[in-house]
Structures are given as C-alpha cells and as structure tokens.
C-alpha cells in the first residue's frame, strides 16, 4: 500500500503556470462616411535651413550663440584660433612694404633711363604678387570670424569650442521659421484631389491651436513602399509658436474625394495572410484574438475603409498584433 501511494504521488503533475495575456491596443469600429475632407498626420518643418561653416580648417575658440537663439544677418556666431592667420598677415605686410620700397627706388632709375625695361616689369610683377598675398592673408584672418549670412533661429550647434572645424563643415544651422511648412504623406488615391490652393485646417497640439494653411507644394514622385506623395503646406509663423518637429493634424477640404464608404480603421491594423486575403485581429467576448477576413476600399490619411467583414461595435486590435495567434488571450 505504501509503495502504491508513493507511485501515485510521483505520477501527479503540478499544474503549469498560465501564460500571461498579451497587452494590445484596440479600437471599436463604427460605420463612417466620407465628409469630403482628407485628414493626415504631418510634421512641421522650417521653410529654409542654412548650414554655416568656416572656409578653412582650425580650432574653434568660441561659439557665441545657443540653440533656439534669434540671430540677425552679420551677427558674429563663432571665432576660430587666428594665431597662424595673424602671423601670415604680418609676413605678407612685410613683403608688401619691401616690394613698395624697391618699386620707389627703381622708379628713379627707370625715369632716368638707367633701368632696362625688362627689369622694371619684373619689379612691378613682384609688387603685384605681394599685393595679392596681402589680400589673401587679410581674407584668411577675416575668415576666422564666422558671421551669420542670414537672419533666423539657431537650430543646432554641430561644433563646440575646442574642436577642430573642417572646411565646409557646418558649425551651426540657421532656420527661417517666420514661415514654416507642414509635411504630410498623401495616399496616391487622393493626391489628384489636392491643388495648390486646396483649403486646409491644421491642428498642432503642442502649439495649442488651429491654423489655416497656405500654398501647397505637391511632390511628383511616390514612395515605392507606401505609395504616398509628400505634400508641404506653407504657414505664417510670425510669433514663432510653431517649431520644427511638432506633430500636426492636417485636414484637406478635398472636393471630389474618392474615399470609399465603410468602417475606417488604421491602415496598419489590416494584415495580409499567406492566402492573399486581408484580415484584422478582432477581440472576442472572452478577450481572445481571432482572425476576421475583411474587404477594404479607399484610404483617408492613415485610415482605410473596411467595406465588408466587420460590424458596428466590434473591437479590433490596432497595435501589438505582431505577437498574436488565433485564440491568444489579450488585455487592453
């Protein structure tokens, strides 16, 4: 009896630990119809960016501006060690003085007819060479001081004091943000509905308000992966509330839009199976994930219309679907 009890005890299995549910993000779908407006997410960009650099190589002694600082044209931005440039200028000035002295002494001989013409021409050539070297030396010294070619805002400092700046290496960048541009990616199905003067409403949460967009620039080459075209919308920004990198929601009054009717879901939520059928991950009543085959229509910004396969009030997974398989327990 004791042996049997031992065997029975050994045959008992400990219950395995239940796998923790997978955390995802979801959304409830509902019927949606196009309102004649195209909504996209964009990024604020400066209207112009100017990279400012020294023309020669040297050690940077001081950078006199900070990121975000407003600068005016001609303002001193940085200073390079000018010891070598000053030495070269001193030598060039001495050569210039020597050449001028020789010119005056030989002039008297030339005027008296005692100096061959060839030698007189040679003296004049030496003076011209000394003058050219002096001009180069003065410019080299002046180039040790970096000034702003345009006014604007310092966007980024690329070189710090004590570092060696190379020729044409950007020391700072100056941004023009008196006007800015909002860059958005527009689906190829909608790019034809947008013109240079299509009205736009732009919402920027970081700037705390809505703005009216201006002139539109349309790209002519599509992204080969996303099949979208870059569009840039100009905006006045005299108070500098809008800064490069801010996220913006752009609403185009897209007259004649070809957006399909249906249930709008994020484009990334729709997957393509091995059989070529489109599907989404739907959340069951028991909080498990299940594949649901769908048919899709047109796009609206970052959303796509599901025309068949989903019902109103159905919850689908929008993020975290990469970790799912049929029947996976989820939490949201």
């Amino acid at each position: 009896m004791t042996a049997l009890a031992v065997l029975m005890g050994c045959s008992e299995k400990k219950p395995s630990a239940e796998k923790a549910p997978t955390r995802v993000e979801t959304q409830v779908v509902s019927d949606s119809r196009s309102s004649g407006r195209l909504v996209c997410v964009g990024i604020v960009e400066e209207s112009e960016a100017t990279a400012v650099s020294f023309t020669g190589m040297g050690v940077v002694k001081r950078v006199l501006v900070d990121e975000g600082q407003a600068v005016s044209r001609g303002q001193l931005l940085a200073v390079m060690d000018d010891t070598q440039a000053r030495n070269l200028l001193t030598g060039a000035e001495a050569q210039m003085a020597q050449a001028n002295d020789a010119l005056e002494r030989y002039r008297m001989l030339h005027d008296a007819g005692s100096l061959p013409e060839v030698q007189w021409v040679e003296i004049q050539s030496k003076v011209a060479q000394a003058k050219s070297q002096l001009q180069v030396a003065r410019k080299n010294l002046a180039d040790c001081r970096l000034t702003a070619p345009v006014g604007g805002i310092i966007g980024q400092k690329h070189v710090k004091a004590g570092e060696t700046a190379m020729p044409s290496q950007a020391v700072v960048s100056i941004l023009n943000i008196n006007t800015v541009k909002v860059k958005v990616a527009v689906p190829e199905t909608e790019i034809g509905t947008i013109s240079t003067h299509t009205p736009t409403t732009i919402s920027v949460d970081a700037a705390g308000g809505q703005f009216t967009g201006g002139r539109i620039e349309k790209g002519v080459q599509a992204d080969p992966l996303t099949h979208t075209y870059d569009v840039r919308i100009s905006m006045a920004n005299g108070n500098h509330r809008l800064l490069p990198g801010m996220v913006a929601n752009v609403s185009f009054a897209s007259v004649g839009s070809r957006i399909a009717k249906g249930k709008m879901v994020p484009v990334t939520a729709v997957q393509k199976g091995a059989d070529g059928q489109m599907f989404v991950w739907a959340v069951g009543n028991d909080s498990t994930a299940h594949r649901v085959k769908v048919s899709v229509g047109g796009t609206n910004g970052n959303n796509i219309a599901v025309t068949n396969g989903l019902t109103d009030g159905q919850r689908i997974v929008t993020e975290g679907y990469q970790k799912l398989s049929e029947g996976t327990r989820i939490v949201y």
Side-chain angles (χ1 to χ4, degrees):
M1 180 66 71
T2 303
L4 181 59
V6 171
L7 289 174
M8 291 178 63
C10 292
S11 64
E12 291 179 357
K13 296 182 179 179
K14 295 182 179 179
S16 58
E18 186 176 356
K19 186 177 180 181
T22 302
R23 180 169 292 279
V24 296
E25 292 189 17
T26 65
Q27 137 179 346
V28 176
V29 299
S30 60
D31 190 57
S32 175
R33 295 178 181 269
S34 173
S35 63
R37 299 188 72 86
L38 172 67
V39 180
C40 300
V41 177
I43 296 293
V44 177
E45 296 181 338
E46 66 278 359
S47 59
E48 290 182 340
T50 303
V52 188
S53 59
F54 288 105
T55 58
M57 183 180 71
V59 177
V60 176
K61 291 178 63 176
R62 290 179 296 162
V63 179
L64 305 174
V65 291
D66 297 317
E67 294 181 0
Q69 178 179 338
V71 296
S72 56
R73 182 177 180 180
Q75 182 174 336
L76 185 62
L77 305 177
V79 177
M80 182 185 289
D81 185 357
D82 60 0
T83 303
Q84 184 177 4
R86 288 187 179 280
N87 291 338
L88 291 175
L89 177 59
T90 300
E93 289 173 339
Q95 290 182 355
M96 186 75 253
Q98 184 179 9
N100 284 331
D101 180 67
L103 179 67
E104 293 303 320
R105 286 188 286 107
Y106 280 101
R107 188 189 301 278
M108 293 184 293
L109 295 176
H110 177 266
D111 292 344
S114 302
L115 185 70
E117 190 66 25
V118 172
Q119 193 171 356
W120 174 243
V121 171
E122 181 180 352
I123 293 299
Q124 290 179 313
S125 296
K126 289 183 178 180
V127 172
Q129 291 175 0
K131 184 178 181 180
S132 176
Q133 292 175 356
L134 179 60
Q135 291 174 341
V136 171
R138 286 173 176 170
K139 185 178 186 304
N140 288 339
L141 180 60
D143 287 345
C144 291
R145 294 167 59 85
L146 187 64
T147 58
V150 295
I153 302 294
I154 300 297
Q156 187 175 359
K157 294 196 297 185
H158 302 280
V159 178
K160 299 178 181 178
E163 296 180 344
T164 300
M166 305 299 292
S168 300
Q169 176 189 5
V171 176
V172 297
S173 58
I174 301 177
L175 310 180
N176 179 0
I177 60 172
N178 292 328
T179 59
V180 295
K181 296 180 181 180
V182 179
K183 175 185 174 183
V184 297
V186 175
E188 62 181 11
T189 55
E190 293 301 313
I191 191 65
T193 68
I194 296 174
S195 69
T196 303
H197 302 291
T198 296
T200 56
T201 301
I202 300 172
S203 175
V204 183
D205 290 342
Q210 285 192 341
F211 307 85
T212 300
R215 189 176 185 277
I216 294 177
E217 302 173 15
K218 292 170 57 176
V220 297
Q221 187 170 0
D223 186 292
L225 296 178
T226 62
H227 298 283
T228 58
Y229 289 82
D230 284 344
V231 168
R232 289 177 169 84
I233 307 144
S234 297
M235 294 175 57
N237 188 36
N239 53 13
H240 295 176
R241 289 174 61 190
L242 299 173
L243 299 176
M246 287 183 174
V247 177
N249 291 308
V250 181
S251 177
F252 295 87
S254 187
V255 179
S257 174
R258 296 184 293 274
I259 299 174
K261 299 176 182 178
K263 297 169 175 59
M264 303 305 295
V265 302
V267 173
T268 54
V270 180
Q271 308 296 306
K272 190 173 184 179
D275 57 357
Q277 177 66 49
M278 310 301 288
F279 71 92
V280 299
W281 288 104
V283 181
N285 294 331
D286 56 352
S287 295
T288 58
H290 303 280
R291 287 194 182 198
V292 174
K293 293 183 178 181
V294 297
S295 299
V296 297
T299 57
N300 183 353
N302 299 316
N303 295 325
I304 189 169
V306 174
T307 57
N308 188 34
L310 296 178
T311 59
D312 287 348
Q314 194 167 8
R315 186 177 292 275
I316 65 168
V317 177
T318 57
E319 291 189 25
Y321 47 80
Q322 301 90 340
K323 301 170 286 186
L324 300 181
S325 57
E326 185 66 26
T328 299
R329 293 180 60 248
I330 61 176
V331 61
Y332 53 88

